[in-house]
Amino acid sequence: MSNLFSLNPSSSFPSLSPLTPPKKFSFWKAKPTFQLKKPALVTSVLSTKTDPQIPQSVQTFWQWLCDEGVVSSKTPVKPGVVPEGLGLVATRDIAKNEVVLEVPKRFWINPDAAAASEIGSVCSGLKPWIAVALFLLTEKSREDSKWKFYFEILPQSTDSTIFWSDEELAELQGTQLLSTTLGVKEYVQNEFLKVEAEVILPNQKLFPSPITLDEFFWAFGILRSRAFSRLRNQNLVVIPFADLTVGIWIRSTTVTL
């Protein structure tokens, strides 16, 4: 399934939001964390054993979350393979307004994290999404990155049409989707050429690993498919673990609203 896009000329960042069900969130201002609460009582009989289909990289990521205190034996969800791919499944009953997950702000990937990093000095004048994209790519290239295990579970591409081959795009001939896709690809390419000339090449000490157009497209795709917007005054933020919650999947369940 492809994501449907709309290109907003008035925005500095094209709107490429996938058509996914909205989530309900609750936040406590006193804590610099992201919280997701379940809006209804959910009863599940899913086994708490690790799904044998889960890749080793995901198991390592989950162990990292445990080591960092993000998840524990009380966490009511675990990673699992769902129809859309990798997601979270309930391991027990989840009551209405119960906190399902909580992610400390120190793990958020956003413009603030980019500004506080080694490349922060050259990101101050960039569009927020470009600064975060560069931050993603530089951190991904580091063996000692805080987010190392998170990066290892990210896909090489998304199902967005910007990653389709020429042959696949030819099947969209004459559609608005093709026109929008080509417009977005041109936009991203132009932004890359600009930031490459103005930021990356003049500061090669900060970017020791060359950043390619394909890598820049990858970062763009990750942000469009996983970033939250308008979250606690955050215009753009990727939250590891929380980005698996397109829907909390419940197997063999009854749901009481």
Side-chain angles (χ1 to χ4, degrees):
M1 179 186 298
S2 64
N3 291 342
L4 300 183
F5 302 149
S6 61
L7 182 58
N8 183 358
S10 64
S11 172
S12 61
F13 191 42
S15 176
L16 301 177
S17 300
L19 301 180
T20 53
K23 296 183 284 293
K24 294 185 179 180
F25 303 106
S26 176
F27 311 104
W28 292 353
K29 294 182 179 180
K31 292 184 178 181
T33 59
F34 168 92
Q35 290 187 329
L36 172 63
K37 289 187 177 181
K38 191 63 182 176
L41 174 64
V42 177
T43 304
S44 173
V45 295
L46 177 69
S47 170
T48 58
K49 293 182 179 180
T50 303
D51 191 326
Q53 299 181 71
I54 295 297
Q56 182 59 49
S57 59
V58 177
Q59 296 182 38
T60 302
F61 170 65
W62 191 255
Q63 184 59 53
W64 171 69
L65 291 175
C66 292
D67 294 342
E68 294 291 343
V70 178
V71 300
S72 68
S73 59
K74 296 181 179 180
T75 302
V77 293
K78 282 191 175 183
V81 177
V82 298
E84 284 75 15
L86 179 64
L88 294 176
V89 294
T91 60
R92 61 169 176 78
D93 295 358
I94 300 178
K96 181 179 180 179
N97 290 327
E98 178 182 354
V99 174
V100 176
L101 60 89
E102 187 172 6
V103 183
K105 196 171 183 178
R106 68 180 185 274
F107 296 114
W108 295 13
I109 299 174
N110 57 9
D112 290 341
S117 70
E118 294 179 354
I119 66 171
S121 61
V122 297
C123 289
S124 59
L126 299 178
K127 296 173 183 176
W129 79 265
I130 295 179
V132 177
L134 293 180
F135 178 68
L136 272 176
L137 293 171
T138 53
E139 283 295 313
K140 186 173 181 288
S141 68
R142 294 178 52 182
E143 283 297 320
D144 62 345
S145 173
K146 177 196 303 184
W147 295 275
K148 172 182 171 62
F149 300 118
Y150 172 64
F151 293 140
E152 290 179 351
I153 72 168
L154 293 179
Q156 294 301 311
S157 65
T158 69
D159 60 359
S160 163
T161 52
I162 64 172
F163 296 107
W164 284 21
S165 66
D166 291 340
E167 292 75 14
E168 290 171 321
L169 289 176
E171 298 180 10
L172 302 178
Q173 193 65 40
T175 67
Q176 180 61 45
L177 180 55
L178 176 61
S179 177
T180 301
T181 300
L182 295 179
V184 170
K185 292 183 70 171
E186 181 180 8
Y187 168 82
V188 175
Q189 180 172 341
N190 288 340
E191 291 294 336
F192 171 73
L193 293 176
K194 181 179 179 181
V195 77
E196 181 185 44
E198 298 179 0
V199 176
I200 299 174
L201 294 180
N203 298 280
Q204 293 187 34
K205 289 184 178 180
L206 296 176
F207 302 94
S209 300
I211 294 178
T212 66
L213 177 59
D214 285 343
E215 290 173 329
F216 195 71
F217 263 107
W218 173 84
F220 177 87
I222 290 297
L223 292 179
R224 288 315 311 170
S225 63
R226 292 172 177 268
F228 295 91
S229 61
R230 297 181 295 280
L231 172 63
R232 292 185 63 184
N233 298 320
Q234 296 284 331
N235 291 325
L236 182 70
V237 55
V238 175
I239 304 177
F241 183 29
D243 60 355
L244 298 178
T245 60
V246 168
I248 303 294
W249 278 84
I250 317 298
R251 297 174 182 169
S252 303
T253 66
T254 46
V255 179
T256 303
L257 298 176

